[in-house]
């Protein structure tokens, strides 16, 4: 098989994950094809993606009829439907997980986003999803809200794999890393095995430019307009530098000596929202070792066609610092940008989850009506 752009990217140490999961993707053989042809070694999912998958077509109808005999709770029905997809995908990716010693081959399943500000409820649901999934290559996704930092620590301390999602700020990224390290320390203290635990920190990218550009355009000065399209990449490069700083030194080395793995940066929201920007900018500018880029299929196709492969993540870090300083100088409040994005991100996922449950209720009514 000829070496593709994404295979070359993988050789530089960045793992390619796909950002959606559906039954059609699995049963058509498309995912297995992308594993071979596009170097895909993991899959993430979220309520928005599952909502679209379940709403479109009839791929879930037979199982839905079976579940309706057991419950009419739309959330329980969703968990039943999504569990089968997640488990099947985990089994498909298991050889990747085995070959790589547990670095890749993960499938992500998200905690109900309406619980994003409830630590204890998030812990309870994360435990439940891990028990229902029951696969070593399952990641449960927990949002990086302030209340959920404790949930992240607790789940790591229990030896569970966690994908920390909706990270926008450098400060919150630092807090997520601290929660991860504290969780590992507690795990080791209790006699647990840190070699069995894997985590990624999902740092959202393109949405930062969407919000930042809106504010820069509102200011409208030449200095402000010149900064459009620069904040997201600068933010991610500084996040990677932070990763390097936190996963080094005596404290980390004690855990690494026991087999603990660093919590890799995962670049999420890497499709280009602004048509004026290069369609693969959030891939090309963030290529570096020990990272993950979770891409939508359109971005995968675009990068395979015309992506440029080079190690870029550690380049221009001083310039990234200057961009954040310049953003402040022209009047954009970085802290408010990232706080807004976190709040809106949680709201969007929660709204999608509500829409998903409404869609399941609608499907249920259709099936009941058709059978009566």
């Amino acid at each position: 098989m000829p070496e593709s752009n994404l295979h070359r990217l993988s050789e530089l140490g960045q793992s390619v994950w796909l950002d959606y999961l559906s039954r059609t993707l699995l049963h058509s053989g498309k995912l297995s094809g992308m594993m071979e042809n596009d170097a895909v070694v993991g899959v993430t999912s979220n309520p928005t993606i599952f909502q679209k998958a379940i709403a479109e077509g009839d791929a879930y109808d037979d199982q839905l009829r079976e579940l309706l005999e057991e419950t009419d709770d739309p959330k329980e029905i969703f968990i039943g439907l999504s569990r089968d997809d997640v488990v099947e995908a985990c089994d498909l990716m298991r050889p990747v997980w085995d070959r790589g010693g547990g670095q890749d081959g993960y499938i992500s399943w998200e905690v109900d986003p309406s619980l994003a500000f409830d630590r204890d409820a998030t812990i309870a649901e994360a435990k439940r999803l891990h028990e229902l999934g029951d696969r070593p290559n399952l990641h449960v996704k927990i949002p990086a809200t302030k209340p959920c930092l404790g949930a992240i620590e607790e789940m790591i301390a229990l030896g569970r794999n966690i994908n920390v999602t909706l990270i926008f700020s450098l400060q919150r990224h630092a807090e997520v890393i601290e929660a991860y390290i504290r969780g590992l320390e507690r795990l080791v203290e209790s006699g647990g095995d840190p070699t069995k635990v894997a985590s990624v920190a999902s740092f959202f990218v393109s949405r930062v430019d969407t919000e930042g550009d809106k504010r820069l355009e509102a200011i409208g000065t030449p200095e402000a307009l010149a900064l459009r399209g620069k904040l997201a990449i600068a933010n991610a490069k500084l996040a990677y530098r932070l990763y390097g700083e936190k996963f080094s030194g005596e404290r980390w080395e004690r855990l690494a000596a026991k087999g603990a793995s660093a919590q890799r940066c995962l670049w999420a929201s890497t499709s280009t929202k602004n048509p004026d920007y290069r369609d693969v900018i959030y891939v090309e500018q963030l290529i570096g070792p020990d990272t993950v880029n979770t891409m939508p299929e359109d971005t995968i196709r675009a990068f395979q066609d015309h992506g440029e492969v080079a190690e870029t993540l550690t380049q221009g870090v001083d310039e990234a610092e200057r961009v954040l300083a310049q953003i402040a100088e022209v009047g954009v409040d970085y802290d408010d940008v990232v706080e807004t994005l976190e709040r809106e991100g949680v709201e969007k996922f929660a709204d999608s989850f509500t829409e998903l449950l409404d869609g399941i209720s609608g499907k249920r009514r259709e099936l009941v009506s058709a059978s009566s």
Side-chain angles (χ1 to χ4, degrees):
M1 182 182 66
E3 186 181 65
S4 74
N5 282 340
L6 286 172
H7 286 91
R8 291 173 55 222
L9 179 146
S10 300
E11 288 170 2
L12 292 178
Q14 183 165 90
S15 300
V16 180
W17 291 9
L18 179 65
D19 84 337
Y20 79 98
L21 179 64
S22 73
R23 194 154 297 180
T24 301
L25 179 74
L26 289 163
H27 291 181
S28 66
K30 188 173 184 177
L31 180 55
S32 58
M34 294 180 80
M35 291 168 66
E36 180 177 356
N37 299 320
D38 301 307
V40 170
V41 291
V43 179
T44 59
S45 65
N46 63 46
T48 302
I49 289 161
F50 266 122
Q51 188 271 327
K52 291 177 181 176
I54 292 172
E56 294 173 357
D58 58 3
Y60 294 87
D61 287 2
D62 288 343
Q63 188 187 2
L64 184 51
R65 289 187 186 93
E66 294 174 7
L67 291 168
L68 285 172
E69 296 178 4
E70 303 169 12
T71 181
D72 61 359
D73 183 332
K75 181 173 174 179
E76 292 305 311
I77 291 170
F78 162 67
I79 288 174
L81 294 173
S82 57
R83 176 195 175 276
D84 281 14
D85 287 359
V86 166
V87 168
E88 184 175 345
C90 281
D91 291 345
L92 179 64
M93 285 277 176
R94 181 62 186 268
V96 175
W97 187 85
D98 288 334
R99 286 195 304 270
Q103 175 163 291
D104 287 304
Y106 290 95
I107 309 298
S108 293
W109 196 11
E110 185 151 354
V111 166
D112 178 348
S114 69
L115 306 177
F117 298 101
D118 188 330
R119 172 190 180 276
D120 292 342
T122 294
I123 291 171
E125 181 145 308
K127 286 180 181 178
R128 184 185 179 210
L129 294 182
H130 265 297
E131 289 165 2
L132 288 170
D134 192 27
R135 294 294 187 275
N137 56 328
L138 170 64
H139 267 145
V140 169
K141 291 174 81 172
I142 295 177
T145 57
K146 198 77 172 178
C148 280
L149 292 171
I152 294 160
E153 178 184 335
E154 181 67 17
M155 293 305 295
I156 296 299
L158 292 172
R160 298 298 197 176
N161 302 324
I162 298 297
N163 176 341
V164 184
T165 189
L166 289 175
I167 306 173
F168 295 96
S169 79
L170 296 169
Q171 175 62 34
R172 187 54 52 81
H173 187 210
E175 293 168 349
V176 165
I177 294 172
E178 177 63 22
Y180 176 65
I181 291 175
R182 281 201 309 265
L184 285 174
E185 289 170 339
R186 288 173 53 196
L187 177 66
V188 169
E189 287 167 8
S190 66
D193 182 0
T195 66
K196 306 292 187 184
V197 180
S199 181
V200 290
S202 293
F203 205 89
F204 279 54
V205 185
S206 67
R207 294 189 197 180
V208 175
D209 273 342
T210 300
E211 182 66 24
D213 286 359
K214 180 173 68 176
R215 300 183 185 211
L216 291 166
E217 287 165 4
I219 293 167
T221 62
E223 294 81 7
L225 296 177
L227 291 168
R228 287 176 298 178
K230 294 185 177 181
L231 180 56
I233 290 168
N235 200 37
K237 288 189 174 187
L238 294 175
Y240 186 68
R241 184 178 70 178
L242 180 65
Y243 157 87
E245 292 168 351
K246 294 291 185 180
F247 291 104
S248 62
E250 289 184 14
R251 184 186 182 193
W252 175 248
E253 291 304 324
R254 285 194 296 272
L255 290 168
K258 295 182 181 296
S261 299
Q263 183 185 56
R264 289 184 295 169
C265 291
L266 179 152
W267 311 128
S269 183
T270 55
S271 62
T272 303
K273 308 295 191 290
N274 188 332
D276 292 337
Y277 300 159
R278 185 167 166 80
D279 58 358
V280 289
I281 186 174
Y282 301 116
V283 181
E284 289 177 337
Q285 295 300 311
L286 299 175
I287 299 172
D290 301 315
T291 57
V292 179
N293 196 313
T294 182
M295 307 179 201
E297 188 176 353
D298 286 350
T299 303
I300 284 175
R301 297 287 157 249
F303 194 84
Q304 289 286 56
D305 180 67
H306 53 264
E308 296 180 5
V309 182
E311 201 279 288
T312 53
L313 191 51
T314 57
Q315 306 301 312
V317 178
D318 291 343
E319 172 62 20
E321 279 192 330
R322 284 193 291 272
V323 166
L324 261 65
Q326 290 165 347
I327 288 282
E329 287 169 7
V330 300
V332 172
D333 184 338
Y334 169 85
D335 290 337
D336 189 66
V337 168
V338 293
E339 287 168 12
T340 297
L341 287 167
E342 180 184 294
R343 183 179 66 253
E344 290 181 349
V346 171
E347 288 172 355
K348 286 174 182 175
F349 278 6
D351 288 347
S352 289
F353 198 73
T354 299
E355 188 177 349
L356 166 66
L357 299 186
D358 289 344
I360 288 173
S361 295
K363 277 270 190 181
R364 181 186 63 196
R365 287 191 296 271
E366 286 177 19
L367 295 176
V368 170
S369 175
S371 63
S372 59

